[in-house]
């Protein structure tokens, strides 16, 4: 609250029943979701999958924010990375393998 101006931070959905003492004894209710959870029946909260603190669960952040939008780019980058690593290893080892084949062909053991 700043200078008397209020900002809407959230909404609460609430239902109340005014009953007589006799009805109260016939239909008891627990506090919150404690037993007996019958009158009224309170279902578990329906929270979206993204209602979490990003710094306590970085994998959820990755999954819901980054992976959802950039899945194909990430898969493509990983495939290109593996291809580049394969080519680098091939270029690094190919000359020595070729020379060994040539020398073994010229000088039989």
């Amino acid at each position: 609250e700043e200078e008397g101006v209020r900002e809407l931070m959230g909404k609460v959905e609430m239902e109340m029943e005014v009953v007589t003492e006799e009805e109260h004894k016939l239909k008891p209710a627990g506090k919150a979701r404690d037993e007996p959870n019958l009158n009224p029946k309170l279902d578990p909260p329906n929270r979206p999958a993204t209602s979490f603190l990003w710094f306590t669960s970085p994998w959820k952040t990755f999954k819901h924010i980054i992976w959802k939008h950039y899945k194909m780019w990430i898969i493509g980058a990983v495939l290109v990375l593996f291809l580049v690593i394969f080519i680098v290893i091939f270029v690094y080892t190919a000359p020595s393998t070729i020379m060994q084949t040539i020398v073994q062909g010229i000088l039989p053991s």
Side-chain angles (χ1 to χ4, degrees):
E1 193 173 315
E2 206 174 286
E3 298 178 15
V5 178
R6 293 180 182 232
E7 182 180 340
L8 179 63
M9 300 299 283
K11 295 181 180 183
V12 174
E13 187 176 324
M14 186 173 91
E15 186 177 312
M16 284 178 75
E17 258 182 70
V18 179
V19 295
T20 64
E21 191 173 341
E22 295 161 356
E23 283 183 287
H24 171 68
K25 289 178 183 174
L26 289 173
K27 299 191 275 184
K31 290 186 178 184
R33 288 180 191 81
D34 294 341
E35 292 298 327
N37 185 7
L38 300 173
N39 186 33
K41 170 79 170 132
L42 296 175
D43 296 324
N46 184 14
R47 294 188 179 104
T50 56
S51 66
F52 57 87
L53 296 173
W54 66 270
F55 53 85
T56 59
S57 182
W59 289 113
K60 279 187 180 179
T61 303
F62 177 78
K63 178 181 152 194
H64 289 290
I65 297 172
I66 298 170
W67 182 257
K68 189 178 189 182
H69 299 291
Y70 299 106
K71 181 183 352 181
M72 289 302 157
W73 286 100
I74 294 170
I75 292 172
V78 168
L79 289 175
V80 167
L81 180 70
F82 281 137
L83 182 65
V84 167
I85 290 172
F86 177 76
I87 291 171
V88 167
I89 291 173
F90 177 76
V91 168
Y92 180 75
T93 59
S96 64
T97 307
I98 292 170
M99 287 308 295
Q100 281 180 348
T101 307
I102 291 172
V103 169
Q104 286 175 356
I106 295 173
L107 302 170
S109 310

